[in-house]
Amino acid sequence: MDECKRKMCCLQLFGLVLIGCFAFGIYASSGTIFYDSFDESFEKNWIVSENEDYSGVWNHSKSEGHDDYGLLVTQKARKYAIVKELDTPVEFNDGTVVLQFETRLQNGLLCGGAYLKYLRPQEAGWTPKQFDNKSPYSIMFGPDRCGGTDKIHFIINHKNPKTGKHVEHHLNSPPPVPGDKMTHVYTAIIKPDNEISILIDGEEKKKANFLSSEDFEPSLIPPKTIPDPDDKRPEDWDDIKNIPDPDARKPDDWDEDAPIEILDEEAEKPEGWLDDEPDEIDDPEAVKPEDWDEEEDGEWEAPKIDNPKCEDAPGCGEWKRPFKKNPEYKGKWHAPLIDNPNYMGIWKPREIPNVDYFELDKPDLEPVAAIGIEIWTMQDGILFDNILIASDENTAASIRDATWKPKFLVEKQKQREEEQAANNDGLKGIQKSVFDALYKIADLPILGGHKMKVMEFIEEAEKKPNIVVGIILSLAVVIFSPLLKIYLASKKKRGKVDVAPKKDGVKNSTTEVSEDATSPRRRNTRRDN
């Protein structure tokens, strides 16, 4: 049966791959602007930076457990830089632009980046071999985690149309990095209506608007007014909200010198206190080392140990009366605070028009001329794959289904199996404890002739752990049946009472009378009748 299920799963997975490939064939030709699956070695298309700071080695390597290749980070605690120039720069005009790539953190990510930089056209004379952290980009997108940082970056390097300076604008509240070691696909959909959507594994995790002051820090559109840098706080400005009451006087009975604690005069030395015993004594088993030289090392003294006589005693040595909190302590007197009648509020400089203010209908994103990976990481095993720039969401979705989804399903199934195996190991330990307890119960004398039946049930349960719950319930019935009988028998005996001799000479007799029949309420009822 398991073999059949396994074959069915393989067939389903194969069918899913075929469907994905079919969809990929439909959309890839129409909406794909740039795509690299890394099926072939990266060395033909990608240029490794020759900057000496970037000593990390890249490999063309398979993803663990798959036949699919990617671009692999191979060494820990290294800086990496590699770049691919595009044949034609990608413009952000009136259409949708989709940025998408896969990353697998095969050894996890404690501290490092796994993001991409979409470089804008570089200055004249620049070559890919010069690529480094100073190479200007238009967009930076992808995972980053280290210390308090745990987010999917989305940063645009936007040119201020008034000053001509480029400013980094960070997406506020970005989604966190997935915490597992599986393949994940990251998608940024940049729409012509100024909306940006961040997807992880095809699921939208963040939606924002480029022109919203709440979505990017700093805001792409500067504020209309700014604090006047030349405005100074007046010398007589009073911003103290509360002041000591000038009319308040210290009470006559206020003793500022009273101590915080006083001796507890009611305390008594505990009974059994060993006044003549020290807390520590010389270790009686200690022996002076043979090579001890008193002239050089001084007089030898045995090391101290806790006095064993004090272990069971309430205390040893001289008993001293403890301290307690002084009920008369008040501390230093301070006048109570009142509202300051001269309070003028918190001073702020006046607002003036912002000379750098400008209006913006849409962000002026510069073209993407190259794709670069420039990271520092403490982990190896970071695999990049299926880097895509597309002009529509359907193309990105089809490639996602064709390349990422089959791998993810395999990895997810493996994760479930590993978790199930771990749970089974834990269950086995629990089952052993249960069976050990059941065998001890089987030896209880109260089971009498039921012991053999209990032992048979336990042995059957050990052979068939998958039905252990049902067998334990059956054991409970067998074990507690004699206990119930004993309890009922003892209750029945308690119900028998001796009736005293009647005054009219009737013979003594023992009558079974229930506890309800002897209650005051029942006796009163009899008298009424």
Side-chain angles (χ1 to χ4, degrees):
M1 185 65 182
D2 292 339
E3 185 64 27
C4 291
K5 288 182 178 179
R6 192 176 297 108
K7 289 181 179 179
M8 287 296 294
C9 290
C10 291
L11 287 173
Q12 290 174 353
L13 183 59
F14 180 68
L16 182 62
V17 173
L18 287 178
I19 294 171
C21 291
F22 178 74
F24 174 76
I26 293 175
Y27 292 109
S29 60
S30 60
T32 300
I33 300 173
F34 169 82
Y35 177 65
D36 196 339
S37 64
F38 295 99
D39 290 338
E40 298 181 357
S41 178
F42 66 91
E43 295 172 349
K44 297 179 181 179
N45 300 314
W46 293 75
I47 305 298
V48 177
S49 174
E50 294 183 353
N51 188 310
E52 61 182 8
D53 290 340
Y54 301 96
S55 59
V57 177
W58 297 94
N59 270 359
H60 183 238
S61 179
K62 287 183 179 181
S63 179
E64 291 181 6
H66 306 292
D67 289 329
D68 186 44
Y69 282 86
L71 184 60
L72 182 68
V73 168
T74 63
Q75 298 169 292
K76 299 178 180 179
R78 293 285 191 276
K79 288 183 178 181
Y80 293 81
I82 191 169
V83 67
K84 169 69 173 74
E85 284 192 295
L86 304 183
D87 295 334
T88 304
V90 178
E91 300 281 351
F92 295 92
N93 295 321
D94 297 328
T96 296
V97 175
V98 182
L99 311 176
Q100 181 170 284
F101 67 98
E102 295 175 16
T103 295
R104 187 179 185 189
L105 310 174
Q106 297 179 139
N107 297 323
L109 184 64
L110 295 177
C111 189
Y115 43 78
L116 269 57
K117 288 184 174 180
Y118 298 86
L119 307 183
R120 66 175 187 255
Q122 307 297 296
E123 295 180 357
W126 182 88
T127 66
K129 292 182 179 180
Q130 296 173 316
F131 175 52
D132 59 14
N133 64 333
K134 296 179 181 178
S135 301
Y137 64 87
S138 181
I139 294 175
M140 190 173 97
F141 173 49
D144 187 20
R145 176 187 290 154
C146 193
T149 299
D150 181 12
K151 57 187 174 183
I152 307 300
H153 278 301
F154 186 84
I155 307 170
I156 64 171
N157 209 343
H158 191 258
K159 184 178 180 179
N160 185 307
K162 295 200 70 171
T163 65
K165 295 180 179 179
H166 285 84
V167 179
E168 286 188 353
H169 301 270
H170 295 244
L171 178 67
N172 279 329
S173 304
V177 181
D180 53 52
K181 300 178 182 180
M182 296 190 293
T183 303
H184 294 283
V185 57
Y186 302 94
T187 309
I189 304 172
I190 302 168
K191 300 179 182 179
D193 61 357
N194 297 326
E195 281 196 350
I196 168 72
S197 295
I198 305 298
L199 282 61
I200 301 178
D201 299 342
E203 181 181 349
E204 186 176 80
K205 298 294 185 179
K206 177 72 176 181
K207 178 180 283 187
N209 189 292
F210 282 114
L211 304 186
S212 170
S213 60
E214 297 180 357
D215 289 340
F216 281 86
E217 176 61 38
S219 173
L220 268 71
I221 300 178
K224 287 186 176 182
T225 62
I226 59 172
D228 184 356
D230 297 324
D231 191 15
K232 305 299 181 184
R233 170 177 161 169
E235 294 182 0
D236 60 347
W237 190 276
D238 192 343
D239 60 1
I240 300 175
K241 190 173 184 179
N242 302 109
I243 60 172
D245 185 355
D247 297 327
R249 296 291 181 267
K250 182 175 70 173
D252 294 337
D253 60 348
W254 191 285
D255 186 0
E256 291 185 340
D257 298 325
I260 297 177
E261 293 183 330
I262 58 174
L263 286 173
D264 186 357
E265 299 295 341
E266 298 178 357
E268 296 182 358
K269 183 169 66 175
E271 185 177 352
W273 188 281
L274 304 178
D275 297 85
D276 299 329
E277 291 290 340
D279 291 329
E280 293 182 335
I281 60 172
D282 292 341
D283 185 355
E285 298 181 359
V287 178
K288 183 171 72 173
E290 295 180 358
D291 59 349
W292 187 274
D293 188 337
E294 292 193 355
E295 292 184 0
E296 293 185 2
D297 303 326
E299 183 180 356
W300 181 81
E301 295 181 358
K304 300 288 185 180
I305 62 171
D306 292 336
N307 188 345
K309 294 181 180 180
C310 300
E311 291 181 2
D312 299 326
C316 288
E318 180 185 0
W319 181 80
K320 295 181 179 179
R321 194 176 300 281
F323 283 86
K324 68 176 184 179
K325 187 176 180 180
N326 183 4
E328 302 299 325
Y329 172 75
K330 295 182 179 180
K332 188 173 181 60
W333 181 83
H334 297 280
L337 296 178
I338 61 172
D339 292 338
N340 181 3
N342 299 319
Y343 176 65
M344 303 170 70
I346 303 299
W347 182 86
K348 294 181 181 179
R350 63 175 175 268
E351 294 284 318
I352 60 174
N354 183 4
V355 295
D356 294 329
Y357 171 77
F358 58 86
E359 294 184 356
L360 195 67
D361 293 329
K362 60 183 303 181
D364 183 18
L365 298 175
E366 297 190 57
V368 174
I371 299 175
I373 306 174
E374 188 272 319
I375 58 175
W376 173 88
T377 177
M378 294 300 292
Q379 272 73 48
D380 57 355
I382 300 175
L383 189 79
F384 295 89
D385 199 4
N386 296 305
I387 298 176
L388 169 72
I389 300 178
S391 61
D392 63 83
E393 299 177 47
N394 289 334
T395 298
S398 65
I399 293 179
R400 193 164 58 234
D401 290 342
T403 61
W404 162 78
K405 197 166 189 177
K407 290 184 290 187
F408 182 78
L409 292 176
V410 171
E411 294 163 10
K412 193 70 174 177
Q413 179 61 29
K414 182 179 179 182
Q415 184 186 58
R416 289 194 192 99
E417 292 172 356
E418 291 174 350
E419 290 175 352
Q420 184 63 42
N423 291 338
N424 289 340
D425 290 341
L427 184 59
K428 289 177 182 178
I430 296 172
Q431 287 176 345
K432 183 179 183 302
S433 301
V434 170
F435 287 127
D436 290 344
L438 290 175
Y439 276 119
K440 291 179 180 179
I441 293 174
D443 288 332
L444 294 175
I446 60 173
L447 293 178
H450 296 279
K451 179 176 180 178
M452 291 304 297
K453 186 180 291 186
V454 172
M455 295 292 289
E456 290 176 3
F457 271 121
I458 296 175
E459 291 173 0
E460 185 68 18
E462 285 186 307
K463 294 177 184 177
K464 300 177 181 179
N466 58 319
I467 59 170
V468 67
V469 174
I471 291 179
I472 289 176
L473 291 175
S474 301
L475 284 170
V477 174
V478 174
I479 292 172
F480 290 106
S481 292
L483 295 176
L484 184 60
K485 290 180 180 179
I486 294 172
Y487 170 75
L488 293 175
S490 63
K491 186 174 182 182
K492 186 175 181 180
K493 289 181 179 180
R494 288 197 300 271
K496 294 182 179 181
V497 297
D498 291 335
V499 179
K502 294 183 179 180
K503 292 182 180 180
D504 56 1
V506 179
K507 294 181 180 180
N508 293 345
S509 64
T510 301
T511 308
E512 290 188 8
V513 183
S514 69
E515 292 177 357
D516 289 338
T518 61
S519 68
R521 181 180 298 173
R522 294 294 295 271
R523 290 197 297 270
N524 292 341
T525 303
R526 287 178 179 176
R527 284 198 296 269
D528 293 341
N529 292 339

